[in-house]
Structures are given as C-alpha cells and as structure tokens.
Amino acid sequence: AKERGKNSFQYFDKTMKSEAEFAKTIKRDLSLALEKNQFFLLYQPLVDVKTGKVVGMEALLRWQHPKKGVISPFHFIPIAEETRQIISIGEWVLRTACRQRKEWLNMGYFDFSISVNVSVHQLQWPDFAKVVCDILNEIELESRYLELEITETVLLESVDAVVKNLCHLKEAGVKIIIDDFGIENSSFRYMQKFKADGIKIDRSFVRDINLDVNKAIIDAIILLGHRMKIGVTAEGVETREQLDCLIECGCDEVQGYYFSKPLFPDEAIQMIQKGL
Ligand code: C2E
Ligand code: CA
Ligand code: CA
Ligand code: CA
C-alpha cells in the first residue's frame, strides 16, 4: 500500500485520470479473476544466515490480467480489501501455498516452511483461524510447516477478533511473523498484545542500511527480537554489503534479490536442489 501511495503522488499531475481508470478496470476485472483462474503464486526463498540453507519459501501473489499483463499485489490487494474479495482470494492463496508445500514434502523436501501473507481484513473475520486449520487438515499438512506473515497495521485496538484468531492459530502450531516491522508506529504496541514467533524488518531499512540511522534501527529491532527470544528476518537484501551488515547486526534470516527473486515452483525447487 505504501508503494502505491508513493506512485500515486508521483503521477498526481499528469496521469491522475488514467490511474483512476486503471483502478476502475482493476476493480471490475478482479471480481472474475478467481473463477477465471488468473492468480498464481511465486516463491521467494528465506535463507538462514548461519547455515546458508533455505529455511522458508514466501508465497507472493500475482495476477495474470488478460490485457494488462502480470499485476503486482500492490495494485490490487488494497482494492480486494475494500471489496472484501480478499477473503476468498486469501483463502485461495492459503490453499494453493499449502498444496504446494505438501507436494514438495511428497517429493522429499522436509526442511523448510511456507510463508503466506495475511491481510488485516482476513484476520478480522472470526472464522479465519478455523479456515486455516480446515485447509491444513484437508491437505494433511502439519501446521509446523506454515508461517503467516501479518502486516502490523492489523493490530488496531478495536479488534479482539484479530487477537483471538492469532492465539487460536498459535495454539494450533502455526507460526506468526510480524511483517514490515518498524514502518508503522504500532510496532511496539503489537509486541505488547501478542507474542509473535518472529519479526521481519521491512526492506526500506535494508535498502539504506549504510545510513547510520537505519543501521541503528535495525540494531534495535534485532535486539528487541532477541530479548523476546524470537527470530529476526530482513527482507530486500540486494547486495553483499547489506548482507554483511545484517550479519554483523546478528540477523537470523535474510531474503532478497541477492539470493533470489520470487520464483515459479519448479525454479524454487531447483534452487533448493542446487543449495543456492
Ligand atoms: P511484502 O510481504 O513486504 O513482500 C516483499 C516484496 O518485496 C515483494 O513484492 C517482493 O517481490 C519484493 N522483493 C523481494 N526481494 C526484494 C529485493 O531484494 N529488492 C526489492 N526491491 N524488492 C524485493 P510483491 O511480491 O510485489 O508483494 C508486495 C506486497 O504485497 C507484499 O509485501 C505483501 O504485503 C503483499 N502480498 C503479496 N502476496 C500477498 C498475498 O497472497 N496476500 C496478501 N494479503 N498480501 C500479499
Ligand atoms: Ca522459520
Ligand atoms: Ca511478507
Ligand atoms: Ca515489506
């Protein structure tokens, strides 16, 4: 949503009209995308800093639009949230990612988990945790293979349903990771309300890690995570310098173009076979 905000600002003058039209097209076509089977998932590896092994694969949603080509979630997730279609789209993502993980298990790949991004609107839905558990049962996938990445804006004070869902999922053995940590001012409040299994540092801090202030923020987030005895992941690692800096800070897991862009399932498994 943030990237989108930036873009809207950039194009405010010249192309506002066409952007509004783009949004209208998206809104109209989105309602058919599921039944027309236009969504697919790419998988981006998460790498353990100490062992260099792939310890996770994050599922990232893509929409193959018949006319506009592949559309990034930044452009349609906010609309899907507005129209509540995120509930059915999110369920499709969960089921597809869990099926993929099961298939990889059947092929003999045991050592990594699958991460799925979850929106606030999904977590506010009282049945969410139950649906996740139903999907795991249906696919016969053990809950320990599943990690949910929650964007922290989720924890608006109002929503008991969110905390209930999170606790239910944790009890069921699903891991909860706070995504985009540090970019919302609710970050610390989140830590008070719910004991997550991990936090993920947003790539905006990693991008400019050479700035003292960002390095200090990353240091502080890692310290916080380790004081809470939870793992800290950094996303958006693009260079060796960024990686070295994160290693120096004691980061546990890393992800980004330096290791791999998001991949099709067969490419992802090739990467595991090659050992990166
Ligand atoms: P996110 O969870 O913070 O995901 C990271 C984004 O950064 C992804 O963009 C990924 O492709 C991109 N990225 C990864 N490594 C690098 C790097 O080294 N450099 C740069 N510049 N970018 C990198 P993507 O796939 O377009 O996803 C955007 C956002 O959309 C995600 O941000 C996530 O919040 C949301 N999203 C993606 N899939 C889903 C989904 O299935 N459900 C929901 N609710 N949200 C999703
Ligand atoms: Ca993990
Ligand atoms: Ca994520
Ligand atoms: Ca992020």
Side-chain angles (χ1 to χ4, degrees):
K2 258 141 232 114
E3 312 276 302
R4 207 172 70 110
K6 228 183 287 159
N7 288 341
S8 332
F9 183 69
Q10 214 169 336
Y11 297 124
F12 191 76
D13 280 325
K14 288 175 240 147
T15 55
M16 194 158 99
K17 183 155 168 272
S18 63
E19 204 192 307
E21 266 161 26
F22 182 74
K24 240 171 82 186
T25 312
I26 299 253
K27 210 167 188 162
R28 188 194 60 209
D29 297 348
L30 194 57
S31 56
L32 293 172
L34 255 189
E35 54 184 276
K36 292 196 168 170
N37 216 359
Q38 290 166 348
F39 291 118
F40 63 96
L41 297 180
L42 296 179
Y43 296 87
Q44 189 179 31
L46 291 130
V47 177
D48 184 297
V49 168
K50 292 216 175 72
T51 64
K53 291 225 164 75
V54 173
V55 286
M57 287 283 180
E58 179 179 6
L60 292 161
L61 182 60
R62 298 289 180 267
W63 176 16
Q64 179 72 59
H65 189 280
K67 294 222 181 66
K68 303 206 174 286
V70 177
I71 303 181
S72 147
F74 281 126
H75 291 108
F76 63 86
I77 295 278
I79 294 172
E81 287 176 343
E82 209 180 285
T83 60
R84 309 264 308 152
Q85 289 171 88
I86 190 66
I87 302 284
S88 49
I89 296 172
E91 208 176 313
W92 180 89
V93 172
L94 268 162
R95 182 170 283 107
T96 307
C98 288
R99 275 202 191 124
Q100 183 61 69
R101 185 62 193 94
K102 179 71 180 186
E103 193 183 316
W104 283 333
L105 273 172
N106 289 341
M107 291 164 70
Y109 299 103
F110 299 107
D111 298 337
F112 62 93
S113 49
I114 194 96
S115 302
V116 173
N117 291 286
V118 171
S119 144
V120 48
H121 299 258
Q122 292 172 267
L123 275 163
Q124 281 173 327
W125 178 40
D127 281 348
F128 179 73
K130 186 180 177 301
V131 167
V132 173
C133 293
D134 287 350
I135 289 173
L136 289 169
N137 284 335
E138 168 198 319
I139 294 170
E140 297 182 339
L141 179 68
E142 282 175 62
S143 59
R144 65 191 170 97
Y145 287 111
L146 180 62
E147 298 190 357
L148 300 180
E149 296 190 0
I150 317 284
T151 299
E152 54 183 281
T153 45
V154 161
L155 214 72
L156 320 163
E157 356 248 310
S158 55
V159 273
D160 287 346
V162 171
V163 176
K164 255 193 206 139
N165 271 322
L166 290 175
C167 292
H168 181 163
L169 288 162
K170 233 179 114 83
E171 261 163 50
V174 175
K175 293 194 183 63
I176 308 291
I177 311 297
I178 306 177
D179 208 352
D180 297 333
F181 196 87
I183 59 176
E184 299 293 338
N185 52 26
S186 55
S187 292
F188 295 107
R189 179 106 42 85
Y190 209 124
M191 299 297 281
Q192 291 177 320
K193 294 219 175 169
F194 180 77
K195 175 83 161 67
D197 298 286
I199 48 188
K200 197 166 182 179
I201 303 172
D202 188 64
R203 77 180 144 94
S204 55
F205 299 110
V206 176
R207 185 177 47 217
D208 298 317
I209 201 170
N210 54 329
L211 297 179
D212 284 346
V213 60
N214 284 341
K215 174 90 171 4
I217 291 170
I218 288 175
D219 263 334
I221 295 176
I222 292 173
L223 187 66
L224 171 71
H226 290 172
R227 276 291 291 272
M228 299 291 297
K229 305 211 163 30
I230 60 181
V232 182
T233 304
E235 67 173 14
V237 181
E238 294 182 358
T239 67
R240 179 75 224 186
E241 290 68 40
Q242 290 167 343
L243 175 62
D244 287 339
C245 201
L246 287 161
I247 292 175
E248 199 189 295
C249 294
C251 194
D252 304 295
E253 288 176 23
V254 281
Q255 183 185 31
Y257 296 165
Y258 180 73
F259 303 96
S260 169
K261 63 181 187 353
L263 304 167
F264 287 99
D266 54 330
E267 297 173 318
I269 216 65
Q270 273 168 32
M271 161 150 269
I272 299 247
Q273 284 164 347
K274 279 193 313 221
L276 275 171

